[in-house]
């Protein structure tokens, strides 16, 4: 059993046995307080110690509470936007969505990583961005039917057994939700900040809030929210329609006390360029859509400066 799971199981058993052992006042007696302190120390020993990724200065995670909100597209264009705003910066991209890797398609990359003399995988590179994904290691249509421990092992390899070189930023495209992968990554490596992606739709915002609260619980700064698919503008008459609602993410940002990093429109150009593996920031750099992503990237850099790790 993984040490952390063994520790949690042990604590669960102790907590179960603890029921009914309170003092007459209803509060823990001295012996029980001592037990609680031992449990706390035991838990601290069971948690993995964070270890930086060799050569990487800052890690940015892009997350969402649920799938289908454009998280991976946002992660790709954020990475490209960071480099477009300051070409002296080096940026990498890690696809941590083991079950549904999207980075190979979005970045137009295929093939297996080569190995260095130190038996480290070399990232595949396009548009100046080194990328690593489970999608490079399995067939394109092959399902990943793995249990949790196998996924954790794969994530560890994607993080530690890759020759990232020297990067100013490593953008991690997280899987949707708040499960094992998110917990493993946040506990094992120092995270400079998290970017939460959501549509303005109420059901997406509920899950986005869970994601933001999870990062707070593990002491990862939430840099802010990105409201994706915020508005659709008719290409013929220019009429704007808020298909998924309006300003939902802005209201959530105010509720959580975090910044609104930017709005990304629901635009045909973003979908078409993504499907072709030519992200809009590089294929249509002068478009309003590309400018929206670059503004988000600039806001992320500013927020990182406000939360040095």
């Amino acid at each position: 059993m993984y040490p952390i799971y063994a520790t949690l199981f042990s604590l669960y058993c102790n907590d179960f046995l603890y029921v009914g052992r309170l003092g007459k006042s209803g509060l823990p007696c001295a012996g029980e307080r001592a037990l609680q302190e031992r449990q706390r120390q035991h838990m601290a020993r069971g948690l993995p110690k964070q270890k930086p990724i060799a050569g990487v200065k800052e890690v940015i995670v892009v997350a969402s509470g649920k799938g289908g909100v454009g998280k991976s597209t946002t992660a790709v264009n954020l990475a490209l936007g960071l480099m477009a705003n300051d070409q002296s910066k080096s940026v990498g991209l890690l696809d941590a969505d083991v079950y549904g890797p999207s980075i190979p398609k979005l970045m137009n990359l295929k093939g297996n990583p080569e190995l260095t003399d130190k038996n480290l995988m070399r990232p595949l590179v396009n548009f100046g961005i080194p990328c690593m994904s489970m999608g490079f290691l399995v067939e394109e249509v092959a399902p990943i039917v793995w249990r949790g421990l196998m996924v954790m092992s794969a994530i560890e390899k994607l993080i530690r057994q890759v020759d990232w070189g020297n990067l100013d930023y490593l953008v991690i495209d997280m899987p949707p939700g708040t499960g094992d992968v998110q917990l493993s990554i946040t506990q094992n490596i120092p995270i400079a900040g998290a970017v939460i992606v959501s549509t303005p739709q109420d059901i997406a915002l509920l899950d986005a809030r869970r994601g933001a609260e999870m990062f707070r619980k593990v002491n990862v700064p939430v840099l802010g929210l990105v409201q994706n698919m915020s508005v659709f503008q008719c290409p013929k008459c220019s009429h704007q329609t808020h298909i998924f609602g309006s300003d939902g993410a802005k209201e959530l940002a105010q509720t959580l006390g975090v910044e609104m990093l930017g709005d990304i429109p629901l635009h045909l150009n973003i979908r078409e360029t993504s499907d072709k593996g030519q992200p809009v920031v590089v294929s249509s750099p002068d478009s309003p859509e590309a400018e929206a992503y670059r503004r988000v990237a600039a806001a992320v850099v500013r927020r990182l400066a406000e939360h040095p790790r």
Side-chain angles (χ1 to χ4, degrees):
M1 185 180 290
Y2 242 23
I4 179 62
Y5 294 135
T7 301
L8 290 172
F9 181 73
S10 172
L11 290 176
Y12 170 80
C13 292
N14 285 335
D15 286 343
F16 180 76
L17 294 172
Y18 177 76
V19 175
R21 298 203 318 230
L22 298 176
K24 292 181 179 180
S25 65
L27 298 175
C29 61
E32 299 308 331
R33 286 195 294 270
L35 174 60
Q36 287 178 313
E37 178 60 21
R38 288 199 302 272
Q39 289 175 344
R40 187 192 65 77
Q41 293 174 357
H42 190 191
M43 186 64 179
R45 290 197 301 271
L47 291 173
K49 292 184 179 180
Q50 289 186 335
K51 180 182 176 183
I53 302 174
V56 176
K57 292 182 181 178
E58 293 188 292
V59 175
I60 305 166
V61 296
V62 179
S64 64
K66 69 189 299 98
V69 298
K71 167 185 56 62
S72 295
T73 302
T74 301
V76 165
N77 283 288
L78 170 61
L80 292 164
L82 289 168
M83 196 167 65
N85 287 346
D86 187 348
Q87 295 187 6
S88 69
K89 300 296 185 182
S90 54
V91 184
L93 186 59
L94 171 60
D95 188 351
D97 194 345
V98 173
Y99 293 114
S102 301
I103 298 305
K105 175 71 172 177
L106 292 168
M107 291 294 285
N108 195 27
L109 287 169
K110 291 183 179 180
N112 301 118
E114 297 178 352
L115 295 178
T116 68
D117 296 337
K118 296 182 179 180
N119 209 35
L120 298 176
M121 293 182 287
R122 284 198 179 97
L124 275 61
V125 181
N126 200 7
F127 312 118
I129 303 282
C131 304
M132 182 52 62
S133 170
M134 181 57 65
F136 301 148
L137 307 176
V138 298
E139 295 295 327
E140 185 175 6
V141 295
I144 309 294
V145 188
W146 288 352
R147 293 186 183 274
L149 294 181
M150 294 180 68
V151 175
M152 296 303 100
S153 177
I155 290 295
E156 179 72 12
K157 288 179 171 59
L158 291 174
I159 292 174
R160 302 292 181 192
Q161 297 183 19
V162 175
D163 182 10
W164 287 109
N166 294 314
L167 297 177
D168 292 291
Y169 306 110
L170 177 63
V171 177
I172 300 183
D173 178 22
M174 300 282 265
T178 56
D180 285 347
V181 172
Q182 289 86 346
L183 187 61
S184 178
I185 289 176
T186 54
Q187 287 182 339
N188 280 281
I189 60 176
I191 307 294
V195 174
I196 308 296
V197 180
S198 179
T199 64
Q201 190 177 9
D202 287 348
I203 192 68
L205 292 167
L206 285 172
D207 292 324
R209 180 167 189 167
R210 293 188 184 100
E213 295 293 353
M214 182 210 71
F215 286 115
R216 284 180 166 174
K217 286 182 181 296
V218 294
N219 298 316
V220 171
V222 177
L223 301 178
L225 272 67
V226 174
Q227 183 167 254
N228 198 27
M229 308 181 200
S230 59
V231 64
F232 172 75
Q233 180 171 300
C234 177
K236 293 185 178 181
C237 68
S238 299
H239 175 73
Q240 291 189 343
T241 303
H242 297 275
I243 295 175
F244 297 105
S246 62
D247 295 334
K250 292 180 181 178
E251 294 171 1
L252 177 59
Q254 291 175 353
T255 300
L256 294 174
V258 300
E259 186 165 328
M260 185 69 191
L261 299 173
D263 286 277
I264 306 298
L266 178 62
H267 200 283
L268 184 63
N269 193 27
I270 296 175
R271 198 275 298 167
E272 289 182 336
T273 56
S274 297
D275 285 349
K276 293 176 182 177
Q278 301 290 321
V280 70
V281 169
V282 291
S283 60
S284 302
D286 298 326
S287 66
E289 302 82 59
E291 176 59 28
Y293 282 117
R294 288 195 298 269
R295 284 198 299 268
V296 168
V300 166
V301 171
R302 176 173 52 77
R303 292 285 290 148
L304 287 173
E306 295 170 358
H307 290 83
R309 296 282 281 184

